[in-house]
Amino acid sequence: MTFPVVPEARVPVPPGRALLARCAVAAAWLLIRLRPGRLRRVLGVLARGARPCTAEQALRGRQAVVSVSRACAGQGCLQRSVATVLLCRAQGRWPDWCTGVRTEPFRAHAWVEVDRRPVGEGPNIELFRPLLRVSAPTASRRNT
């Protein structure tokens, strides 16, 4: 997936959280090698039992991932988004994970959302049409 971005600024991350973020980045590196359908199924299983994430929690997760990984700070949107949801999941939360495309010019991108609002993305994200989404389970879906 490609999306022209300027590398994101790194923020100080406490050592324990940095270690957890590095683990999430490493796990994401393995997961993004799966086929899209399988990746979606794996993330769907991981999302089970999680509480919905707040925008602030998702942004802190994204910032931690970006701060410990050069790949995630630049053009690595797929790894960044997967690592972000994994880091949030380690704390019992789940933001929506999305991938999508735009056609003029063609580009693919992956990101996280909370309440259908992209977290930490620029204004050009509005040009992308979501194709895959793994949402946080809701109370009504858990009980059915």
Side-chain angles (χ1 to χ4, degrees), residues 10-137:
R10 296 178 179 209
V11 297
V13 181
R17 185 155 172 87
L19 179 61
L20 195 56
R22 283 187 180 94
C23 291
V25 168
W29 183 82
L30 294 171
L31 288 174
I32 65 174
R33 275 132 183 84
L34 298 174
R35 292 181 182 178
R38 178 154 298 186
L39 174 59
R40 181 182 183 184
R41 284 191 299 276
V42 168
L43 292 178
V45 168
L46 292 173
R48 290 181 191 161
R51 295 181 308 256
C53 202
T54 67
E56 182 180 323
Q57 291 166 333
L59 184 59
R60 279 197 320 261
R62 178 189 166 103
Q63 289 171 336
V65 163
V66 164
S67 294
V68 301
S69 170
R70 281 192 181 138
C72 292
Q75 299 250 345
C77 63
L78 182 58
Q79 187 176 6
R80 177 177 55 243
S81 64
V82 172
T84 300
V85 295
L86 293 177
L87 183 57
C88 290
R89 182 60 181 107
Q91 298 170 328
R93 302 290 182 162
W94 190 269
D96 293 350
W97 174 80
C98 304
T99 61
V101 296
R102 64 183 264 184
T103 56
E104 296 288 332
F106 179 82
R107 292 221 191 322
H109 189 50
W111 65 94
V112 296
E113 293 182 348
V114 173
D115 296 328
R116 302 283 178 170
R117 291 190 188 112
V119 174
E121 298 291 334
N124 288 340
I125 193 70
E126 301 295 326
L127 301 173
F128 288 86
R129 189 182 106 213
L131 296 177
L132 294 177
R133 177 184 308 271
V134 177
S135 297

